[in-house]
Amino acid sequence: MTCFAKVTQKYGPETYGAYEPIYEKGAAESVDAAKHLREGLFTPDQYKSEIGLIREEEESAVMQKQAQTGLPAPPIVLPTPNKTSTP
């Protein structure tokens, strides 16, 4: 998770444009949730729930910003395919 936050911080402005602060905040909150899981403060189910809430907040904030500014939707970053899987 820490790597995800660092990548979001480094490449966020060019990737997400005006939406970058929203995604950077979500990445930071995800790192905190991962730390809580690692420290035993969250169970795996609590961690999944927290990540889900963070994603919902991101989506809501993006839709609100898009409605206020009329900006196009941010790009969707798709995961890279698993190269070890066979078709």
Side-chain angles (χ1 to χ4, degrees), residues 67-79:
Q68 290 173 346
T69 63
L71 292 170
I76 298 172
V77 179
L78 300 173

Side-chain angles (χ1 to χ4, degrees), residues 2 30-41 47:
T2 303
S30 297
V31 168
D32 288 341
K35 286 179 185 176
H36 286 57
L37 176 66
R38 185 177 62 235
E39 294 168 354
L41 301 173
Y47 171 74

